[in-house]
Amino acid sequence: PIPIINCDSCGDQPVPREELPVRLPEIDDYKPTGTPPLARSEEFLHTVCPNCESPALRETKTLDTFVDSSWYYMRFADPKNKETMTGPLVNKWLPVDYYVGGADHTAGHLLYSRFITKVLSDLGKIDYDEPFTNLRH
């Protein structure tokens, strides 16, 4: 998660450098509940503000949902491949010809999809370096 502590008095405070990296608790249940799994760990969630030492809460969100959904389109091209997410059908069927959606939605997906695509391209895992050839919103 983002190493931030949320204090009612001081606002968002960075986790002190000497406490980095933040050690995560063991989580047994990752089933979706509408609450991040880390937020269900009372021991992790509750801490003290590094500024005023009042009770505070740790940030428990880890990734923007656009990150989570910015690579799955590759799996649609080769959904039965259990060895890798970037098999030969990915290079045959991708990049996506046209991505159509609302301005904020397409911009969010493009930002993260481009990053993931560029990394996989640089690693030689895919034969293209842009996720979508056309974007319309």
Side-chain angles (χ1 to χ4, degrees):
I2 301 165
I4 295 291
I5 295 172
N6 304 299
C7 174
D8 286 340
S9 300
C10 302
D12 294 339
Q13 299 294 310
V15 170
R17 187 177 289 263
E18 60 273 6
E19 293 179 23
L20 295 174
V22 174
R23 293 198 51 98
L24 300 178
E26 292 292 325
I27 304 287
D28 295 325
D29 184 5
Y30 285 94
K31 292 178 185 157
T33 64
T35 300
L38 287 174
R40 297 191 306 258
S41 171
E42 294 292 323
E43 182 180 326
F44 177 80
L45 179 64
H46 297 281
T47 188
V48 296
C49 173
N51 189 46
C52 71
E53 298 184 4
S54 295
L57 301 174
R58 292 185 185 276
E59 179 60 56
T60 59
K61 295 177 182 168
T62 55
L63 292 175
D64 184 279
T65 57
F66 283 122
V67 174
D68 300 337
S69 61
S70 289
W71 60 268
Y72 72 89
Y73 71 98
M74 292 181 191
R75 295 302 300 143
F76 288 139
D78 195 6
K80 294 182 182 175
N81 183 339
K82 295 184 191 235
E83 302 299 318
T84 179
M85 71 179 264
T86 59
L89 289 177
V90 171
N91 287 318
K92 178 179 179 180
W93 290 102
L94 297 174
V96 172
D97 293 331
Y98 245 97
Y99 190 125
V100 179
D104 289 345
H105 192 85
T106 55
H109 272 212
L110 181 61
L111 175 72
Y112 295 113
S113 292
R114 284 193 82 216
F115 174 77
I116 291 166
T117 300
K118 298 283 186 185
V119 168
L120 291 173
S121 180
D122 286 353
L123 291 172
K125 302 292 184 182
I126 55 177
D127 295 339
Y128 54 94
D129 70 348
E130 289 291 342
F132 320 119
T133 56
N134 295 286
L135 179 71
R136 179 97 177 163
H137 54 74

